[in-house]
């Protein structure tokens, strides 16, 4: 059972494990200063509890000395800089002390031990951010953005998460929530006081209001697909019959000789996966085995792995060897991939061309002609991948709001469903009670995103993904 008692003062090493230039031990809670007072000696002998907020102080961390004995050199654990941030203007809205130590793990652990012995408990993962949420400094969507910022793989992903932390997503959700709330309270008033002057507005007014909300929800959800891709990246599998140059293409995209390339058909057995950043999008490129008819156990496994990779890919680059005629295996693959999003590419265009381009053009509508070996048109192929995934809409919407978190997307979809039901009930002249029940459910979805409604389980789930110290 995890301990989240918010009365406790908590502490943790907030920097990554391992050797680094500096390492930070962070303390948060009502006893943060008294703990610091016990173990920190500043050069001018002033105690941390007397420091002004947002100030930095040079000094030493030392084990407390027995009464009557002076501090010995052996008592000193580290030479540090100590930062003080007083409640409520701190990350957690509590008193915070951060001890900037030398980065070695041994010293950091000793400082942490000493801090814990002096009246704190170790923080649970994400507990500092959990407190920031519970103490009302940020809403739940913003707290989640903190994790996304830590995990952002590309600058574009970082930009979305920073927008979410700044509150751009929350602001938009709050705006929609207020519109719904207005509609809801007007309806409730007219249900509760049917004889009074409170009018819910004509069904037409209500329906117009709800339609406006439905439209806003649709706009947000339309962009969420891109948000998720930017955040989580795209999986691209390179397929093609043996020897078409799949591994050569992977190497050309990575600009390094990662996969083994030989003139022997059936070179690649194990799928090779590598991450690249294409136009700010994290792309996982997968080189698959070209073998279609396995002979023996190893090839069987190679085929199985290729199938798994293809199934999990968002996009498949189907590669053809343009210096040879189309073969049965090419046609087999085309059939097999007919349900996937496929980019057809002709490789080996530096050689004499034999393939029937007119036939393939008809099949795919567009062919990208490349030479993996000569590194020709690789950029064009990369652009094609990105433009296909984003339907040419890689730009972040002008209002900066791009919902990318699956939890938010699911909640928005629920809200959308209930708004549609409310509209439906209005159309069918059902009583206002029914309509308002739907609007209430719709509101609930938005409350869940902002964390106005939450369960301990939800918080546990969100914050367990954080590292200790954040
Ligand atoms: N001329 C020319 N040769 C190429 C090109 N791309 C690949 N090759 C050659 O084609 C042969 C096969 O290349 P690979 O990249 O190993 O092909 P693969 O599709 O991975 O093959 P398997 O792993 O066996 O399925 C090698 O000799 C490459 O040098 C190209 O654009 N032009
Ligand atoms: Mg290969």
């Amino acid at each position: 059972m995890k301990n989240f008692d918010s009365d406790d003062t908590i502490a943790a090493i907030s920097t990554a494990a391992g050797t680094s230039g500096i390492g930070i031990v962070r303390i948060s809670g009502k006893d943060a200063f008294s703990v610091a007072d016990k173990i920190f000696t500043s050069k001018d002998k002033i105690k941390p509890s007397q420091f002004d907020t947002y100030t930095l102080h040079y000094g030493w961390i030392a084990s407390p000395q027995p009464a009557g004995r002076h501090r010995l050199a052996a008592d000193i654990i580290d030479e540090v800089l100590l930062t003080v941030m007083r409640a409520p203007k701190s990350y957690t809205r509590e008193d915070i002390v951060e001890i900037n130590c030398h980065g070695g793990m041994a010293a950091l652990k000793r400082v942490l031990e000493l801090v814990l012995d002096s009246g704190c408990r170790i923080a649970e993962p994400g507990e500092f951010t959990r407190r920031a949420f519970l103490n009302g400094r940020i809403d739940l969507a913003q707290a989640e953005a903190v994790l996304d910022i830590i995990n952002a793989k590309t600058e574009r992903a970082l930009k979305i998460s920073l927008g979410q932390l700044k509150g751009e997503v929350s602001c938009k959700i709050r705006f929609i929530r207020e519109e719904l709330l207005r509609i809801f309270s007007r309806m409730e008033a007219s249900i509760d006081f049917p004889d009074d002057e409170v009018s819910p507005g004509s069904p037409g007014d209500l329906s117009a209001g709800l339609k406006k909300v439905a439209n806003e929800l649709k706009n947000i959800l339309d962009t969420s697909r891109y948000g998720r891709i930017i955040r989580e990246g795209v999986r691209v599998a390179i397929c093609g019959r043996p020897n078409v140059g799949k591994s050569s293409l992977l190497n050309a995209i990575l600009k390094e000789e990662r996969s083994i390339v030989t003139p022997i058909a059936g070179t690649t057995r194990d799928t090779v996966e590598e991450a690249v950043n294409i136009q700010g999008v994290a792309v996982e490129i997968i080189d698959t085995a070209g073998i279609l008819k396995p002979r023996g156990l190893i090839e069987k496994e190679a085929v199985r792995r290729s199938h798994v990779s293809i199934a999990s890919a968002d996009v498949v680059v189907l590669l053809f060897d343009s210096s040879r005629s189309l073969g049965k295996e090419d046609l087999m693959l085309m059939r097999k991939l007919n349900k996937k999003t496929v980019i057809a590419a002709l490789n080996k265009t530096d050689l004499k061309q034999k393939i029937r381009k007119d036939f393939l053009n008809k099949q795919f509508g567009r062919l990208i002609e490349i030479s993996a070996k000569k590194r020709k048109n690789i950029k064009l192929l990369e652009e094609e991948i990105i433009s296909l995934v984003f339907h040419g809409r890689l730009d972040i919407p002008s209002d900066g709001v791009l919902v990318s978190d699956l939890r938010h997307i699911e909640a928005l979809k629920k809200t959308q469903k209930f708004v549609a039901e409310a509209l439906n009930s209005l159309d069918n002249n059902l009583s206002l009670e029914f309509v308002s029940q739907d609007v209430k459910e719709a509101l609930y979805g938005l409350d869940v995103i902002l964390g106005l409604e939450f369960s301990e389980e939800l918080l546990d789930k969100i914050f367990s993904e954080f590292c200790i110290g954040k």
Side-chain angles (χ1 to χ4, degrees):
M1 181 66 190
K2 294 227 155 92
N3 178 6
F4 285 111
D5 192 338
S6 55
D7 259 359
D8 293 347
T9 298
I10 53 173
I13 298 173
S14 281
T15 38
T19 319
S20 58
I22 58 163
I24 298 176
V25 172
R26 185 192 252 174
I27 312 169
S28 177
K30 59 180 180 351
D31 298 328
F33 295 136
S34 67
V35 167
D37 281 356
K38 286 185 205 161
I39 59 171
F40 176 78
T41 314
S42 72
K43 211 168 164 217
D44 42 18
K45 304 278 184 298
I46 303 175
K47 293 282 179 198
S49 52
Q50 291 158 331
F51 293 156
D52 287 337
T53 189
Y54 297 134
T55 53
L56 185 73
H57 302 266
Y58 173 77
W60 299 271
I61 297 290
S63 351
Q65 295 91 53
R69 169 163 89 58
H70 280 298
R71 195 184 69 208
L72 306 174
D75 295 324
I76 293 179
I77 293 168
D78 205 355
E79 176 195 31
V80 302
L81 284 172
L82 184 133
T83 319
V84 168
M85 284 157 277
R86 290 184 183 275
K89 289 198 171 173
S90 74
Y91 185 69
T92 54
R93 281 205 168 160
E94 301 172 336
D95 285 337
I96 287 190
V97 171
E98 283 182 0
I99 308 171
N100 292 250
C101 308
H102 289 294
M105 269 327 266
L108 266 175
K109 278 190 180 151
R110 273 294 289 131
V111 172
L112 178 65
E113 269 170 29
L114 201 58
V115 165
L116 296 177
D117 287 346
S118 309
C120 303
R121 77 165 158 81
I122 188 88
E124 297 291 346
E127 198 173 356
F128 292 96
T129 312
R130 189 181 179 125
R131 287 186 174 194
F133 163 66
L134 289 172
N135 293 333
R137 196 180 71 80
I138 50 177
D139 66 37
L140 203 50
Q142 289 172 306
E144 287 167 303
V146 172
L147 180 66
D148 295 343
I149 288 171
I150 298 172
N151 291 337
K153 295 191 200 86
T154 62
E155 267 182 50
R156 216 180 268 275
L158 180 64
K159 200 169 160 188
I160 295 185
S161 309
L162 280 171
Q164 189 174 323
L165 177 65
K166 272 197 329 211
E168 284 165 355
V169 170
S170 308
C171 188
K172 182 90 192 175
I173 306 279
R174 267 178 224 283
F175 177 75
I176 298 179
R177 186 177 175 274
E178 264 156 37
E179 284 183 65
L180 266 181
L181 206 54
R182 225 179 351 250
I183 295 172
F184 181 69
S185 25
R186 270 184 11 220
M187 281 196 277
E188 287 292 288
S190 110
I191 294 166
D192 291 344
F193 311 102
D195 300 328
D196 282 10
E197 286 296 291
V198 224
S199 144
S202 68
D205 285 349
L206 284 179
S207 153
L210 284 170
K211 272 186 189 145
K212 192 167 161 239
V213 169
N215 200 28
E216 271 154 8
L217 289 169
K218 183 177 174 301
N219 287 343
I220 300 189
L221 281 165
D222 277 352
T223 59
S224 65
R225 200 177 88 83
Y226 308 112
R228 262 184 80 65
I229 296 173
I230 292 176
R231 198 172 117 121
E232 290 175 8
V234 192
R235 283 175 72 78
V236 178
I238 308 174
C239 297
R241 67 178 160 78
N243 226 27
V244 291
K246 299 178 293 297
S247 303
S248 305
L249 175 58
L250 174 92
N251 293 347
I253 293 174
L254 296 179
K255 301 190 184 75
E256 63 173 281
E257 301 310 310
R258 171 69 180 85
S259 237
I260 301 172
V261 169
T262 77
I264 304 162
T267 299
T268 304
R269 305 293 186 90
D270 206 353
T271 50
V272 176
E273 291 194 28
E274 284 292 331
V276 275
N277 178 337
I278 302 179
Q279 294 177 32
V281 180
V283 179
E284 196 74 28
I285 303 267
I286 313 157
D287 177 20
T288 65
I291 309 158
L292 285 165
K293 292 188 182 132
R295 292 158 306 180
L297 273 181
I298 300 179
E299 291 195 353
K300 244 189 197 152
E301 181 59 17
V303 171
R304 192 192 66 80
R305 287 181 183 213
S306 296
H307 282 175
V308 171
S309 298
I310 292 167
S312 72
D314 302 299
V315 174
V316 174
V317 174
L318 178 54
L319 210 54
F320 296 93
D321 180 345
S322 61
S323 69
R324 294 178 59 185
S325 315
L326 270 180
K328 248 201 234 138
E329 289 175 309
D330 291 313
L331 299 172
M332 245 170 87
L333 270 170
M334 281 166 62
R335 254 197 316 276
K336 218 171 90 179
L337 296 173
N338 71 356
K339 290 217 171 66
K340 302 286 303 185
T341 306
V342 173
I343 295 175
L346 298 185
N347 190 30
K348 308 199 189 182
T349 53
D350 52 305
L351 299 178
K352 190 167 179 310
Q353 302 290 281
K354 276 205 188 138
I355 205 159
R356 278 185 54 198
K357 282 186 201 169
D358 53 343
F359 171 75
L360 288 177
N361 238 328
K362 230 190 222 155
Q363 294 293 314
F364 293 103
R366 181 166 159 78
L367 297 174
I368 312 287
E369 303 195 14
I370 64 166
S371 168
K373 192 170 179 175
K374 305 276 182 204
R375 307 282 202 256
K376 205 184 103 199
N377 277 354
I378 304 300
K379 194 148 180 269
L380 185 71
L381 179 64
E382 291 176 355
E383 283 165 6
E384 185 72 12
I385 295 172
I386 297 301
S387 111
L388 189 72
V389 174
F390 290 93
H391 300 294
R393 287 179 47 179
L394 185 48
D395 287 333
I396 293 177
S398 53
D399 59 2
V401 179
L402 200 48
V403 174
S404 62
D405 191 301
L406 192 57
R407 190 181 76 84
H408 303 171
I409 294 171
E410 281 174 358
L412 281 169
K413 280 187 180 156
K414 267 194 198 140
T415 297
Q416 190 179 40
K417 182 179 141 245
F418 282 111
V419 170
E421 277 176 22
L423 274 166
N424 201 20
S425 306
L426 269 183
D427 279 351
N428 291 320
N429 295 323
L430 293 186
S431 89
L432 271 189
E433 267 99 347
F434 281 107
V435 187
S436 87
Q437 191 54 36
D438 288 332
V439 176
K440 193 175 169 187
E441 295 285 354
L443 272 167
Y444 180 76
L446 303 181
D447 289 354
V448 164
I449 298 179
L450 297 171
L452 299 172
E453 291 278 350
F454 64 87
S455 63
E456 287 302 315
E457 285 86 354
L458 175 66
L459 293 195
D460 289 351
K461 188 166 167 286
I462 291 174
F463 290 104
S464 65
E465 287 177 41
F466 278 62
C467 41
I468 291 189
K470 189 70 214 178

